[in-house]
Amino acid sequence: QVQLVESGGGLVQAGGSLRLSCAASGRTFSSTAMGWFRQAPGKEREFVAAVNWNGGRTYYADSVKGRFTISRDNAKNTVYLQMNSLKPEDTAVYYCAADGTPSLRLHTTTTEYDYWGQGTQVTVSS
């Protein structure tokens, strides 16, 4: 079982940076693949990035590739999303998710993740 709490969201100007954190509780964190998703008002929740259990593999949505970096620190039970060169279209509620099913693949759909945080708002002004 994994419980997730996001933090680090806020208001930033276009071109700026933010780092989101996701604090996890539960003994299974170190063996769980993690993902970040985002959802803008009136839109579907979309995949942003994923990282495998030990941080050795990552995968990014094309829309954020080269700008965002996902990482994790299992000793701190925390996963991060470093967001650089932010654009107004990045504005959304960002959710941390945990994939509780062991897999060699990094999943990119909401239905493939078992645990979710409450989200943190990221607003990018133009």
Side-chain angles (χ1 to χ4, degrees):
Q1 302 295 323
V2 179
Q3 190 169 23
L4 309 172
V5 179
E6 302 95 335
S7 63
L11 175 64
V12 64
Q13 292 185 334
S17 299
L18 283 174
R19 188 174 79 156
L20 306 183
S21 297
C22 175
S25 62
R27 299 177 65 184
T28 62
F29 177 78
S30 62
S31 61
T32 301
M34 304 291 294
W36 284 97
F37 291 76
R38 66 187 183 186
Q39 187 168 24
K43 297 184 178 180
E44 296 181 354
R45 191 168 300 185
E46 66 175 358
F47 171 78
V48 175
V51 60
N52 77 328
W53 71 276
N54 67 356
R57 292 186 294 115
T58 59
Y59 186 76
Y60 299 91
D62 289 341
S63 60
V64 306
K65 191 174 299 181
R67 299 188 298 119
F68 290 11
T69 302
I70 187 171
S71 62
R72 68 191 299 162
D73 186 341
N74 287 348
K76 297 181 178 180
N77 290 339
T78 302
V79 62
Y80 305 95
L81 184 68
Q82 178 66 46
M83 305 184 294
N84 299 324
S85 301
L86 283 163
K87 305 175 181 179
E89 50 262 46
D90 294 320
T91 296
V93 176
Y94 283 70
Y95 297 91
C96 179
D99 182 357
T101 303
S103 176
L104 295 177
R105 300 181 180 182
L106 294 175
H107 297 140
T108 60
T109 64
T110 58
T111 57
E112 293 172 311
Y113 287 81
D114 302 296
Y115 308 98
W116 295 85
Q118 293 299 305
T120 185
Q121 177 71 47
V122 172
T123 302
V124 184
S125 62
S126 60

